[in-house]
Amino acid sequence: MKTAFIGLGVMGYPMAGHLAKAGHEVAVYNRTAAKAQRWADEHRCRAASSIADAVAGAELVALCVGADDDVRQVMQAALPALAAGAIVVDHTTASAKVAREMAEAAAARGCAFLDAPVSGGQAGAENGQLAIMIGGEAAAVEKARPVIGVYAKAIQHMGGPGTGQLTKMVNQICIAGVVQGLAEAQHFAKRAGLDTALVYEAISKGAAQSWQMDNRWKTMAEGKFDFGFAVDWMRKDLGLVLEAARANGARVEVTALVDQFYAEVQSLGGRRWDTSSLAARLERP
Ligand code: NAP
C-alpha cells in the first residue's frame, strides 16, 4: 500500500520501519529533517520535503507526534493534501477532544481519521508488539488493520472517535496505581530488612504479579531509571486523564495523587526518567 509516516521519534522510527520491511511504499516526514534522511537511507524509501509532500497520494497516513497541538499542526498541513478516501491513523497519545475534531475535519474532506494510541513502549515498537486501541469508523479500522498490524500484537476497535484515546487513559490509570504500589512495596521491603530479589521470587508467581513487577522490579531496586517511558510523557498523559475525569465526573483520587508524586520526581531532576522512578522519590535522603 502507498503509505506515509509522520513523526520519527522513539516510537515512530521503528513503527515506520516495520511498514517498510513489510513491503509497503513509505514516504516519511520528520520535523528534524536529518532523522527522516537517516531513516530513508536505512530503509531505501523516500524522505519527503514537507508534510503535504509526504501524504500526497497516500492511502494510509500514520502519525506519532507529541501532544494535542502537535496533532493539530500536522493535520493542518496534511488535510489539504490528502487523497480522497485516505485513512489517517494517529498513534499520538492525545485528548479525545482533538480526536473528535480531527475526525470531523477529515470526514469533511472525504477521508477518515482514527485515534489509535499505543501501549507497549519503545520495546513494543521495535519488536512490532504494540497494543493499539482505536476510535473511529469501523470500515476504516478494518482497512487499516492489516497495514498497522505489522507493528501490533493486538488491535482493538473501541467505538467512535475519541474512544481509542479514552481507552489509553484507562491504561495509564492502571499503570499509575500499580507503579506506586510497587514503589511502596520495595520501600517497605528495604525498611523491613528483606532481600528484594528474594521478595520478587516469593511474590511474583502469585496474585501480586504484573508486567510492571516483571519488567521494573529489579531496576527499581537498583535505582536505575535512565531508560523507558519518560515522566514528562506520563504527566502529559495523567493530565489528559484528570481533564477527562473532571468532564465525566469519574473519581480518580489515586491517579491525581500519583500525578503529584511525578511532579516531585520532575523536581528531583527526573523529567526523562522512566515512570518506575516513583521509587526514587521514596528513597531520597
Ligand atoms: P519523541 O521521541 O519525542 O518523538 C516525537 C516525534 O514527533 C518527533 O519525531 C518529533 O519531531 C515529532 N513532532 C513533535 N511535535 C511535532 C510537530 N508539532 N510537528 C511535527 N513533528 C512533531 O516521542 P515518542 O516517545 O516517540 O512518543 C510519541 C507519542 O507516542 C507521544 O504522544 C507519546 O506519549 C506516545 N507514546 C510513547 C511511548 C514511549 O514509550 N515513548 C509509549 C506509548 C505512547 P523532531 O524529531 O523534530 O523532534
Side-chain angles (χ1 to χ4, degrees):
M1 194 182 263
K2 195 166 179 213
T3 69
F5 206 107
I6 296 161
L8 302 173
V10 168
M11 301 296 283
Y13 196 101
M15 288 161 84
H18 286 293
L19 286 179
K21 282 176 206 146
H24 294 293
E25 190 182 332
V26 192
V28 291
Y29 173 82
N30 195 67
R31 186 175 54 185
T32 307
K35 225 190 275 177
Q37 197 50 57
R38 178 158 61 88
W39 186 97
D41 292 344
E42 203 177 303
H43 297 91
R44 296 208 187 90
C45 287
R46 188 169 74 89
S49 56
S50 66
I51 291 172
D53 175 29
V55 307
E59 295 160 83
L60 183 140
V61 175
L63 52 133
C64 190
V65 291
D68 278 19
D69 284 346
D70 304 313
V71 173
R72 286 197 181 94
Q73 275 175 24
V74 168
M75 286 299 288
Q76 202 173 14
L79 272 171
L82 284 178
I87 299 171
V88 180
V89 184
D90 180 20
H91 294 302
T92 311
T93 301
S95 68
K97 183 169 175 277
V98 85
R100 292 187 201 110
E101 271 171 40
M102 294 305 131
E104 209 175 301
R109 293 218 5 98
C111 299
F113 178 95
L114 304 174
D115 49 297
V118 301
S119 177
Q122 182 176 358
E126 285 169 356
N127 305 330
Q129 294 289 302
L130 293 168
I132 309 184
M133 41 221 99
I134 310 192
E137 245 177 66
V141 174
E142 291 321 309
K143 272 196 206 157
R145 190 184 287 277
V147 185
I148 63 176
V150 299
Y151 43 74
K153 71 171 172 194
I155 298 175
Q156 181 63 51
H157 182 211
M158 299 305 303
T163 56
Q165 295 297 356
L166 289 167
T167 306
K168 173 72 183 184
M169 293 176 209
V170 174
N171 186 79
Q172 301 307 68
I173 292 171
C174 295
I175 290 176
V178 169
V179 175
Q180 177 61 17
L182 280 181
E184 289 181 18
Q186 286 218 351
H187 180 63
F188 177 93
K190 285 178 183 170
R191 289 290 168 108
L194 295 171
D195 177 331
T196 55
L198 289 181
V199 171
Y200 176 79
E201 291 308 318
I203 69 174
S204 63
K205 276 83 187 169
Q209 186 272 343
S210 65
W211 184 98
Q212 295 290 342
M213 180 176 277
D214 286 347
N215 291 280
R216 296 290 186 264
W217 183 273
K218 189 165 179 286
T219 45
M220 270 172 133
E222 293 165 348
K224 288 185 183 158
F225 306 115
D226 205 7
F227 66 99
F229 186 61
V231 166
D232 274 359
W233 277 146
M234 187 59 164
R235 285 216 76 207
K236 169 193 63 118
D237 293 1
L238 296 182
L240 294 169
V241 171
L242 297 177
E243 193 186 338
R246 271 193 295 277
N248 68 21
R251 293 177 54 177
V252 288
E253 287 114 339
V254 170
T255 307
L257 194 58
V258 173
D259 179 54
Q260 289 311 300
F261 294 163
Y262 277 124
E264 276 183 47
V265 174
Q266 286 175 317
S267 66
L268 292 176
R271 300 177 62 126
R272 301 297 300 177
W273 291 350
D274 181 65
T275 42
S276 54
S277 55
L278 285 171
R281 185 185 150 265
L282 297 175
E283 297 304 332
R284 71 181 185 271

